[in-house]
Amino acid sequence: MERVTSLEDLPLRTNLQGRSPYGAPQLHVPVALNVNENTHAVPEAVARDILAGLAEAIRSVNRYPDREFTALREALARYLGEGLTADNIWAANGSNEVLQQVLQAFGGPGRSLLGFAPTYSMYSILASGTDTTWIAGTRDADYELSPATAVSEIVRTDPDIVFLCSPNNPTGTPLSLETIAAAYDATDGIVVVDEAYAEFAPVGTPSALTLLPGRERLLVSRTMSKAFAFAGARVGYLAADPAVADALRLVRLPYHLSALTQAAANAALAHSAEMLAMVDDIRGQRDRLVVELACLGYAPHRSWSNFVLFGGVTEPRETFEALLGEGILIRDVGIANHLRVTAGTEQETTLFLDAIARLGRSDRPGQTVPAQAE
Protein backbone atom coordinates (compact mmCIF):
# COMPACT_ATOMS: atom_id res chain seq x y z
CA MET A 1 0.00 0.00 0.00
CA GLU A 2 1.31 3.42 -0.93
CA ARG A 3 2.25 5.50 2.08
CA VAL A 4 0.44 8.81 2.65
CA THR A 5 3.24 11.30 3.21
CA SER A 6 1.56 14.69 3.53
CA LEU A 7 -1.73 16.45 4.18
CA GLU A 8 -2.08 17.12 0.46
CA ASP A 9 -2.28 13.36 -0.18
CA LEU A 10 -5.47 13.04 1.88
CA PRO A 11 -9.02 13.56 0.53
CA LEU A 12 -9.54 16.64 2.69
CA ARG A 13 -12.78 18.60 2.48
CA THR A 14 -12.55 21.27 -0.19
CA ASN A 15 -13.09 24.20 2.18
CA LEU A 16 -10.20 23.01 4.39
CA GLN A 17 -7.65 22.58 1.62
CA GLY A 18 -4.76 25.00 1.81
CA ARG A 19 -5.68 26.26 5.27
CA SER A 20 -3.38 26.44 8.30
CA PRO A 21 -4.36 25.40 11.83
CA TYR A 22 -4.55 27.91 14.66
CA GLY A 23 -1.34 28.18 16.57
CA ALA A 24 0.69 30.70 18.50
CA PRO A 25 4.40 29.95 19.09
CA GLN A 26 4.89 27.53 22.00
CA LEU A 27 8.37 28.33 23.20
CA HIS A 28 9.96 27.92 26.61
CA VAL A 29 11.10 31.42 27.49
CA PRO A 30 11.52 33.30 30.79
CA VAL A 31 8.80 35.84 29.91
CA ALA A 32 5.86 34.54 27.85
CA LEU A 33 3.45 37.39 27.03
CA ASN A 34 2.03 36.17 23.73
CA VAL A 35 -1.28 34.36 24.29
CA ASN A 36 -3.05 36.56 26.84
CA GLU A 37 -2.72 34.13 29.70
CA ASN A 38 -3.07 35.27 33.27
CA THR A 39 0.58 34.96 34.27
CA HIS A 40 -0.24 34.96 37.98
CA ALA A 41 -0.22 31.53 39.61
CA VAL A 42 -3.33 30.04 41.20
CA PRO A 43 -3.21 30.99 44.93
CA GLU A 44 -1.81 28.19 47.05
CA ALA A 45 -4.89 27.85 49.29
CA VAL A 46 -7.14 27.62 46.24
CA ALA A 47 -4.82 25.10 44.60
CA ARG A 48 -5.10 22.87 47.69
CA ASP A 49 -8.90 22.89 47.49
CA ILE A 50 -8.79 22.17 43.75
CA LEU A 51 -6.49 19.22 44.44
CA ALA A 52 -8.88 17.96 47.12
CA GLY A 53 -11.76 18.17 44.63
CA LEU A 54 -9.75 16.27 42.03
CA ALA A 55 -8.79 13.62 44.58
CA GLU A 56 -12.44 13.05 45.39
CA ALA A 57 -13.46 12.97 41.73
CA ILE A 58 -10.77 10.48 40.78
CA ARG A 59 -12.38 7.88 43.03
CA SER A 60 -15.34 7.62 40.67
CA VAL A 61 -13.79 8.01 37.24
CA ASN A 62 -14.77 4.44 36.46
CA ARG A 63 -18.23 5.95 35.95
CA TYR A 64 -19.25 8.58 33.44
CA PRO A 65 -19.50 12.13 34.81
CA ASP A 66 -22.70 14.09 35.26
CA ARG A 67 -23.73 14.61 31.65
CA GLU A 68 -25.57 17.81 32.57
CA PHE A 69 -22.70 19.14 34.77
CA THR A 70 -25.46 20.45 37.05
CA ALA A 71 -23.29 21.64 39.95
CA LEU A 72 -21.01 23.53 37.57
CA ARG A 73 -23.91 25.24 35.81
CA GLU A 74 -25.32 26.27 39.18
CA ALA A 75 -21.93 27.63 40.28
CA LEU A 76 -21.48 29.57 37.04
CA ALA A 77 -24.96 31.07 37.36
CA ARG A 78 -24.16 32.23 40.90
CA TYR A 79 -20.90 33.76 39.72
CA LEU A 80 -22.53 35.68 36.85
CA GLY A 81 -25.56 36.87 38.81
CA GLU A 82 -28.01 38.97 36.78
CA GLY A 83 -30.86 36.67 37.81
CA LEU A 84 -29.44 33.77 35.80
CA THR A 85 -30.09 30.16 36.77
CA ALA A 86 -28.49 26.86 35.77
CA ASP A 87 -31.02 26.62 32.94
CA ASN A 88 -29.40 29.67 31.30
CA ILE A 89 -25.88 28.21 31.38
CA TRP A 90 -23.91 25.97 29.04
CA ALA A 91 -20.26 24.96 29.37
CA ALA A 92 -17.61 23.10 27.41
CA ASN A 93 -13.87 22.54 27.12
CA GLY A 94 -12.89 26.16 26.65
CA SER A 95 -14.92 28.90 25.02
CA ASN A 96 -13.63 27.76 21.62
CA GLU A 97 -15.60 24.54 22.01
CA VAL A 98 -18.64 26.53 23.14
CA LEU A 99 -18.42 28.63 19.96
CA GLN A 100 -17.86 25.54 17.85
CA GLN A 101 -21.03 23.99 19.27
CA VAL A 102 -22.92 27.20 18.50
CA LEU A 103 -21.82 26.94 14.88
CA GLN A 104 -22.66 23.24 14.76
CA ALA A 105 -26.16 24.02 15.95
CA PHE A 106 -26.89 27.24 14.06
CA GLY A 107 -24.36 27.33 11.23
CA GLY A 108 -23.31 24.78 8.65
CA PRO A 109 -23.60 24.47 4.87
CA GLY A 110 -25.55 27.30 3.30
CA ARG A 111 -25.30 29.47 6.42
CA SER A 112 -22.96 32.35 7.20
CA LEU A 113 -21.09 33.90 10.13
CA LEU A 114 -20.25 37.60 10.26
CA GLY A 115 -17.37 38.92 12.34
CA PHE A 116 -15.72 42.33 12.32
CA ALA A 117 -12.08 42.14 11.25
CA PRO A 118 -9.53 42.26 12.62
CA THR A 119 -10.91 39.98 15.31
CA TYR A 120 -10.22 36.65 17.00
CA SER A 121 -8.63 34.41 14.38
CA MET A 122 -10.41 31.29 15.64
CA TYR A 123 -13.76 32.58 14.38
CA SER A 124 -12.91 31.96 10.74
CA ILE A 125 -11.25 28.63 11.61
CA LEU A 126 -14.33 27.46 13.50
CA ALA A 127 -16.44 28.55 10.54
CA SER A 128 -14.37 26.41 8.17
CA GLY A 129 -14.51 23.45 10.52
CA THR A 130 -18.30 23.57 10.57
CA ASP A 131 -18.64 24.39 6.84
CA THR A 132 -20.11 27.79 7.69
CA THR A 133 -19.33 30.68 5.34
CA TRP A 134 -17.10 33.27 7.04
CA ILE A 135 -17.77 36.95 6.31
CA ALA A 136 -15.21 39.52 7.46
CA GLY A 137 -17.01 42.79 8.10
CA THR A 138 -15.30 46.14 8.55
CA ARG A 139 -14.64 48.32 11.60
CA ASP A 140 -14.41 52.04 12.20
CA ALA A 141 -11.17 53.97 12.73
CA ASP A 142 -8.90 52.70 15.54
CA TYR A 143 -10.73 49.33 15.39
CA GLU A 144 -13.86 50.71 17.07
CA LEU A 145 -17.31 49.39 16.13
CA SER A 146 -20.22 51.83 16.21
CA PRO A 147 -23.89 50.84 16.11
CA ALA A 148 -24.19 52.35 12.62
CA THR A 149 -21.27 50.34 11.23
CA ALA A 150 -22.43 47.09 12.83
CA VAL A 151 -25.95 47.52 11.46
CA SER A 152 -24.67 48.51 8.02
CA GLU A 153 -22.54 45.37 7.76
CA ILE A 154 -25.37 43.14 8.97
CA VAL A 155 -27.79 44.64 6.44
CA ARG A 156 -25.19 44.33 3.68
CA THR A 157 -24.27 40.69 4.35
CA ASP A 158 -27.49 39.22 5.89
CA PRO A 159 -25.65 36.67 8.07
CA ASP A 160 -27.23 33.80 9.98
CA ILE A 161 -24.87 34.33 12.93
CA VAL A 162 -23.01 37.41 14.19
CA PHE A 163 -19.96 37.21 16.46
CA LEU A 164 -19.15 40.34 18.48
CA CYS A 165 -15.89 40.22 20.43
CA SER A 166 -16.17 42.40 23.54
CA PRO A 167 -13.52 43.62 24.17
CA ASN A 168 -12.10 42.75 20.79
CA ASN A 169 -9.15 40.43 20.32
CA PRO A 170 -6.48 41.23 19.11
CA THR A 171 -7.12 44.97 19.44
CA GLY A 172 -8.51 45.23 23.00
CA THR A 173 -11.21 47.60 21.77
CA PRO A 174 -14.29 47.98 24.02
CA LEU A 175 -17.74 47.37 22.59
CA SER A 176 -20.76 49.37 23.75
CA LEU A 177 -24.06 47.85 24.79
CA GLU A 178 -25.67 50.17 22.25
CA THR A 179 -23.75 48.46 19.44
CA ILE A 180 -24.73 45.02 20.71
CA ALA A 181 -28.41 45.96 20.98
CA ALA A 182 -28.39 47.56 17.53
CA ALA A 183 -26.78 44.49 15.99
CA TYR A 184 -29.35 42.23 17.62
CA ASP A 185 -32.24 44.32 16.33
CA ALA A 186 -30.78 44.30 12.81
CA THR A 187 -30.87 40.53 12.34
CA ASP A 188 -33.18 37.58 12.83
CA GLY A 189 -30.18 35.33 13.41
CA ILE A 190 -28.05 34.36 16.37
CA VAL A 191 -25.88 37.04 17.97
CA VAL A 192 -22.95 35.90 20.12
CA VAL A 193 -21.07 38.35 22.34
CA ASP A 194 -17.67 36.87 23.19
CA GLU A 195 -16.75 38.30 26.60
CA ALA A 196 -13.58 36.29 27.16
CA TYR A 197 -11.89 39.35 28.68
CA ALA A 198 -14.91 40.93 30.36
CA GLU A 199 -13.45 40.90 33.87
CA PHE A 200 -10.66 43.27 32.80
CA ALA A 201 -13.05 46.10 31.88
CA PRO A 202 -13.21 49.09 34.24
CA VAL A 203 -14.97 48.32 37.50
CA GLY A 204 -18.71 48.83 37.18
CA THR A 205 -18.82 48.35 33.40
CA PRO A 206 -22.11 46.61 32.51
CA SER A 207 -21.84 43.28 30.73
CA ALA A 208 -23.84 42.12 27.73
CA LEU A 209 -25.47 39.78 30.26
CA THR A 210 -27.72 42.71 31.17
CA LEU A 211 -29.17 42.58 27.64
CA LEU A 212 -30.28 38.94 27.81
CA PRO A 213 -33.86 39.38 29.10
CA GLY A 214 -36.26 39.37 26.16
CA ARG A 215 -33.54 38.54 23.64
CA GLU A 216 -33.78 34.80 23.06
CA ARG A 217 -31.26 34.88 20.17
CA LEU A 218 -28.53 36.62 22.19
CA LEU A 219 -25.73 34.47 23.61
CA VAL A 220 -22.96 35.73 25.90
CA SER A 221 -19.81 33.60 25.92
CA ARG A 222 -17.23 33.65 28.74
CA THR A 223 -14.12 31.72 29.77
CA MET A 224 -12.29 30.81 32.97
CA SER A 225 -8.96 30.90 31.09
CA LYS A 226 -8.13 34.57 31.53
CA ALA A 227 -9.27 36.30 34.72
CA PHE A 228 -9.47 32.98 36.60
CA ALA A 229 -5.91 31.95 35.63
CA PHE A 230 -7.41 28.65 34.43
CA ALA A 231 -6.16 28.43 30.84
CA GLY A 232 -4.81 24.91 31.30
CA ALA A 233 -8.09 23.61 32.72
CA ARG A 234 -10.06 24.43 29.54
CA VAL A 235 -13.40 25.68 30.84
CA GLY A 236 -15.61 27.97 28.77
CA TYR A 237 -19.30 28.73 29.12
CA LEU A 238 -22.16 30.84 27.88
CA ALA A 239 -25.36 32.37 29.20
CA ALA A 240 -28.50 32.52 27.09
CA ASP A 241 -32.16 31.60 26.92
CA PRO A 242 -32.66 28.01 28.17
CA ALA A 243 -33.69 26.96 24.66
CA VAL A 244 -30.12 27.66 23.49
CA ALA A 245 -28.76 25.03 25.89
CA ASP A 246 -31.33 22.61 24.50
CA ALA A 247 -30.01 23.32 21.00
CA LEU A 248 -26.40 22.73 22.07
CA ARG A 249 -27.33 19.40 23.63
CA LEU A 250 -28.12 18.23 20.10
CA VAL A 251 -24.50 18.63 19.00
CA ARG A 252 -22.38 18.06 22.11
CA LEU A 253 -20.48 14.81 22.44
CA PRO A 254 -21.65 12.47 25.21
CA TYR A 255 -20.23 13.38 28.61
CA HIS A 256 -18.12 16.10 27.01
CA LEU A 257 -17.00 17.65 30.33
CA SER A 258 -14.90 15.19 32.31
CA ALA A 259 -15.43 14.60 36.01
CA LEU A 260 -11.99 16.12 36.65
CA THR A 261 -12.77 19.27 34.67
CA GLN A 262 -16.02 19.71 36.55
CA ALA A 263 -14.37 19.17 39.92
CA ALA A 264 -11.56 21.64 39.22
CA ALA A 265 -13.94 24.31 37.94
CA ASN A 266 -16.33 23.92 40.86
CA ALA A 267 -13.48 24.27 43.34
CA ALA A 268 -12.14 27.37 41.58
CA LEU A 269 -15.56 29.02 41.44
CA ALA A 270 -15.97 28.45 45.18
CA HIS A 271 -12.96 30.76 45.55
CA SER A 272 -13.89 33.31 42.88
CA ALA A 273 -12.86 36.26 45.07
CA GLU A 274 -9.36 34.87 45.58
CA MET A 275 -9.07 33.79 41.94
CA LEU A 276 -10.00 37.27 40.73
CA ALA A 277 -7.83 39.13 43.24
CA MET A 278 -5.07 39.59 40.67
CA VAL A 279 -7.37 41.30 38.13
CA ASP A 280 -6.79 44.77 39.57
CA ASP A 281 -3.04 44.26 39.32
CA ILE A 282 -3.34 43.11 35.70
CA ARG A 283 -5.44 46.17 34.85
CA GLY A 284 -2.72 48.31 36.38
CA GLN A 285 0.02 46.65 34.33
CA ARG A 286 -2.10 46.98 31.18
CA ASP A 287 -2.57 50.70 31.78
CA ARG A 288 1.13 51.01 32.52
CA LEU A 289 1.91 49.41 29.15
CA VAL A 290 -0.32 51.93 27.38
CA VAL A 291 1.35 54.91 29.08
CA GLU A 292 4.95 53.76 28.79
CA LEU A 293 4.69 52.44 25.22
CA ALA A 294 3.35 55.85 24.21
CA CYS A 295 6.30 57.49 25.95
CA LEU A 296 8.61 55.25 23.92
CA GLY A 297 7.13 56.58 20.70
CA TYR A 298 4.73 53.73 19.93
CA ALA A 299 0.98 54.04 19.35
CA PRO A 300 -0.87 51.80 21.82
CA HIS A 301 -4.61 51.35 21.32
CA ARG A 302 -7.04 51.71 24.18
CA SER A 303 -7.70 48.34 25.78
CA TRP A 304 -10.24 46.86 28.17
CA SER A 305 -8.57 43.45 28.02
CA ASN A 306 -5.42 42.00 29.60
CA PHE A 307 -3.26 42.89 26.59
CA VAL A 308 -2.22 45.90 24.54
CA LEU A 309 -1.97 46.20 20.76
CA PHE A 310 0.54 48.85 19.81
CA GLY A 311 1.38 50.42 16.47
CA GLY A 312 4.35 52.42 15.28
CA VAL A 313 6.53 49.32 14.94
CA THR A 314 8.72 49.87 11.90
CA GLU A 315 9.77 46.21 11.57
CA PRO A 316 7.40 43.97 13.56
CA ARG A 317 9.16 40.70 12.71
CA GLU A 318 12.61 42.05 13.56
CA THR A 319 11.33 43.56 16.81
CA PHE A 320 9.59 40.28 17.69
CA GLU A 321 12.80 38.32 17.06
CA ALA A 322 14.95 40.80 18.98
CA LEU A 323 12.69 40.53 22.02
CA LEU A 324 12.67 36.75 21.70
CA GLY A 325 16.46 36.86 21.75
CA GLU A 326 16.16 38.43 25.22
CA GLY A 327 13.80 35.70 26.39
CA ILE A 328 10.60 37.73 25.94
CA LEU A 329 7.84 36.28 23.75
CA ILE A 330 5.06 38.59 22.53
CA ARG A 331 2.72 38.25 19.52
CA ASP A 332 2.86 39.31 15.90
CA VAL A 333 -0.85 39.25 15.02
CA GLY A 334 -0.36 40.09 11.36
CA ILE A 335 -1.47 43.73 11.53
CA ALA A 336 0.98 45.94 9.67
CA ASN A 337 3.37 47.86 11.95
CA HIS A 338 1.76 46.42 15.09
CA LEU A 339 2.60 43.94 17.83
CA ARG A 340 0.58 42.73 20.83
CA VAL A 341 1.77 42.13 24.37
CA THR A 342 0.00 40.55 27.33
CA ALA A 343 -0.04 42.44 30.63
CA GLY A 344 1.96 40.19 32.93
CA THR A 345 3.14 40.57 36.47
CA GLU A 346 4.89 43.81 37.43
CA GLN A 347 8.27 42.11 36.97
CA GLU A 348 7.37 40.66 33.57
CA THR A 349 5.99 43.98 32.38
CA THR A 350 9.14 45.76 33.53
CA LEU A 351 11.37 43.28 31.69
CA PHE A 352 9.38 43.78 28.48
CA LEU A 353 9.37 47.58 28.72
CA ASP A 354 13.08 47.73 29.51
CA ALA A 355 13.86 45.46 26.57
CA ILE A 356 11.76 47.32 24.03
CA ALA A 357 13.20 50.62 25.27
CA ARG A 358 16.68 49.29 24.52
CA LEU A 359 15.54 48.28 21.05
CA GLY A 360 14.21 51.79 20.53
CA ARG A 361 17.65 53.18 21.28
CA SER A 362 19.72 50.80 19.18
CA ASP A 363 17.82 48.44 16.93
CA ARG A 364 15.09 50.48 15.25
CA PRO A 365 16.50 52.75 12.57
CA GLY A 366 14.94 56.20 12.52
CA GLN A 367 13.36 55.71 15.95
CA THR A 368 14.42 57.69 18.98
CA VAL A 369 13.32 57.38 22.56
CA PRO A 370 11.72 60.55 23.99
CA ALA A 371 13.61 62.15 26.87
CA GLN A 372 10.88 61.36 29.39
CA ALA A 373 11.34 57.63 28.76
CA GLU A 374 15.07 57.67 29.54
Side-chain angles (χ1 to χ4, degrees):
M1 184 176 69
E2 183 180 356
R3 182 180 175 213
V4 174
T5 58
S6 71
L7 185 63
E8 288 71 25
D9 295 315
L10 295 173
L12 198 64
R13 271 177 22 208
T14 301
N15 71 316
L16 295 180
Q17 293 173 6
R19 296 188 63 88
S20 299
Y22 174 87
Q26 286 190 296
L27 304 173
H28 296 290
V29 295
V31 182
L33 301 174
N34 65 320
V35 288
N36 306 336
E37 295 159 319
N38 184 334
T39 63
H40 297 66
V42 173
E44 183 61 32
V46 181
R48 286 196 296 269
D49 278 2
I50 292 173
L51 286 170
L54 291 171
E56 182 64 27
I58 203 73
R59 298 177 183 276
S60 59
V61 292
N62 59 309
R63 302 289 187 180
Y64 287 117
D66 175 10
R67 185 178 59 239
E68 294 301 312
F69 45 96
T70 307
L72 178 56
R73 286 164 49 228
E74 290 172 345
L76 288 167
R78 286 193 298 271
Y79 168 68
L80 292 177
E82 303 296 343
L84 297 169
T85 71
D87 290 340
N88 298 109
I89 305 298
W90 186 255
N93 296 283
S95 58
N96 287 326
E97 186 176 65
V98 172
L99 297 176
Q100 180 183 58
Q101 290 172 343
V102 169
L103 292 179
Q104 287 175 315
F106 301 107
R111 295 194 174 188
S112 61
L113 165 64
L114 170 67
F116 296 86
T119 193
Y120 184 33
S121 59
M122 272 303 300
Y123 296 161
S124 61
I125 294 173
L126 291 170
S128 293
T130 56
D131 209 5
T132 304
T133 299
W134 166 250
I135 302 171
T138 60
R139 289 180 171 269
D140 300 305
D142 296 322
Y143 309 116
E144 302 285 337
L145 184 60
S146 66
T149 297
V151 170
S152 175
E153 290 293 88
I154 290 170
V155 171
R156 180 180 68 84
T157 60
D158 190 26
D160 297 282
I161 306 168
V162 178
F163 277 5
L164 299 168
C165 198
S166 175
N168 188 48
N169 180 14
T171 65
T173 317
L175 185 69
S176 70
L177 295 187
E178 289 76 16
T179 296
I180 296 169
Y184 184 89
D185 291 341
T187 178
D188 293 328
I190 295 293
V191 176
V192 180
V193 182
D194 181 355
E195 288 193 338
Y197 300 93
E199 286 92 345
F200 299 103
V203 175
T205 301
S207 161
L209 295 167
T210 61
L211 298 176
L212 285 174
R215 294 181 173 90
E216 72 282 352
R217 295 177 287 103
L218 181 64
L219 289 57
V220 180
S221 172
R222 291 281 190 100
T223 182
M224 293 182 70
S225 293
K226 310 301 182 181
F228 268 84
F230 231 48
R234 311 307 302 131
V235 182
Y237 57 102
L238 65 71
D241 187 273
V244 170
D246 290 338
L248 300 185
R249 287 184 177 92
L250 299 175
V251 298
R252 60 102 178 265
L253 295 175
Y255 310 103
H256 70 290
L257 275 178
S258 77
L260 301 182
T261 298
Q262 293 182 44
N266 282 325
L269 286 162
H271 293 275
S272 58
E274 298 99 310
M275 293 292 279
L276 296 176
M278 70 281 285
V279 167
D280 281 343
D281 180 61
I282 294 169
R283 286 196 199 100
Q285 296 308 314
R286 174 200 65 202
D287 295 343
R288 177 186 172 201
L289 284 168
V290 171
V291 170
E292 297 197 27
L293 282 168
C295 288
L296 290 171
Y298 294 98
H301 296 271
R302 73 173 182 139
S303 174
W304 282 12
S305 58
N306 72 335
F307 58 84
V308 174
L309 178 76
F310 58 100
V313 187
T314 305
E315 299 289 347
R317 178 47 51 177
E318 286 77 357
T319 301
F320 172 89
E321 295 291 348
L323 288 168
L324 185 58
E326 297 204 27
I328 300 168
L329 179 62
I330 63 171
R331 189 75 176 269
D332 183 346
V333 295
I335 300 176
N337 302 118
H338 283 73
L339 290 169
R340 191 191 71 190
V341 59
T342 305
T345 62
E346 181 178 5
Q347 180 183 19
E348 290 169 330
T349 303
T350 297
L351 289 169
F352 162 74
L353 287 168
D354 287 349
I356 202 164
R358 289 193 296 272
L359 294 181
R361 292 186 184 94
S362 60
D363 296 337
R364 297 172 63 238
Q367 296 287 329
T368 58
V369 179
Q372 64 265 38
E374 293 290 348

